[in-house]
Amino acid sequence: MPRGDIASLVAEAVAHADVRCGRPPAHPDAAAAAIETRLWAQRVGLHPAAEGGSVDRTFPIAPVADALHDAPLGALRIASLFAAWLGVLTERAETSGWEPAYTASLVGVLRDGYTTGADALHFALTDLYERITVVDGAALLPELADALDRHAAACRREQEWRAADTVPPLAEFLDNLADRTPLPLYATLHRLDPRLGGPSAPPAPGVAPLHELAALLSGVDADLAGYRQAVETGRLTLVAVLMREYGYSVPAAFQSGMVLFGAWKTQLDHGIREIEHLTGVPASTVRQAHAACDWACALHRRTAALARGDAAAMSAAAAVG
């Protein structure tokens, strides 16, 4: 398809998600946390002293500051550091792949608190382990380890599909999609906010399906908004899967993806309202339910900003051409 047609489809998908995703004020300490995150990334070797490293390019604190807009500064700080770490890991994996032994060694840091790895990602994650433990978040570490293990496995499975030039069935793709997103990782760390019940409390009943819906929303959103880059890099997206499953054209696959996004967002909103109206439900449970929506919307705003930047670059290129 011509670049202009793809840009129009992406813009329509982003605008559709914009309508469904409101925006609360960013955390009042977001700027300070961003500075601290960059300095920490430099100190642990994840980021160069000069501008232009991963933290500068991706600004990982943006969705964290939106989703944790009213959390204590300590929770914001740790989630921001973890987001920077995950961004560097993702960039590494895009080049080297999601190597099972390497990612298993990182998961082991979260399970055991020490590492035999000798690079910055291992050292930085050990530092995060200690920080989470100091703020009484040790109970979250096994969950975070499991989430990282699933995330790496999902990303690796997608790379295997790509290497084999295979487009999986829709059900298999969607089953992998939620863990491919960072949302389960972030949502786990969000429970450092005591208003969500505290890190030692288990996830509230009925909240897990809402977080899975939110992760699916985030995955669909990223696949639609990032479609042009995916085509250029060969990354598998929902668009290609829908085209294979139903014989859709690219525009029809985009339309179907937007329908899925809208339906799942409606389902998420309804699930939150159901929890709100339960008799005697704790405030922390309601807050955990709302956190699912907060993360889906916060990650959308980052995805949308990247998509709009790409659209502007495409327009500039077209003007020059």
Side-chain angles (χ1 to χ4, degrees), residues 194-281:
R195 296 193 318 120
L196 275 67
S200 60
V207 168
L210 302 183
H211 282 270
E212 184 172 356
L213 271 174
L216 285 170
L217 284 170
S218 182
V220 170
D221 189 32
D223 278 3
L224 298 180
Y227 179 70
R228 186 179 69 86
Q229 306 98 301
V231 169
E232 291 175 352
T233 61
R235 184 173 69 81
L236 181 65
T237 69
L238 177 65
V239 174
V241 175
L242 289 170
M243 291 171 70
R244 176 196 178 280
E245 189 90 356
Y246 300 111
Y248 285 161
S249 63
V250 172
F254 260 83
Q255 187 63 40
S256 180
M258 287 189 285
V259 169
L260 281 174
F261 186 95
W264 284 337
K265 182 59 167 61
T266 298
Q267 190 176 345
L268 175 59
D269 293 340
H270 178 71
I272 293 171
R273 286 194 297 271
E274 281 192 325
I275 286 180
E276 286 177 329
H277 295 148
L278 289 174
T279 303
V281 64

Side-chain angles (χ1 to χ4, degrees), residues 101-158:
Y102 185 84
T103 53
S105 68
L106 294 171
V107 171
V109 173
L110 294 174
R111 295 199 194 284
D112 305 323
Y114 64 87
T115 179
T116 57
D119 65 1
L121 281 163
H122 286 83
F123 293 142
L125 192 57
T126 303
D127 181 79
L128 278 165
Y129 176 98
E130 293 170 354
R131 288 170 181 264
I132 293 169
T133 302
V134 164
V135 296
D136 297 325
L140 294 179
L141 288 166
E143 290 183 49
L144 191 62
D146 289 345
L148 178 60
D149 196 22
R150 293 194 307 272
H151 177 70
C155 292
R156 184 164 55 251
R157 190 170 300 113
E158 184 175 291

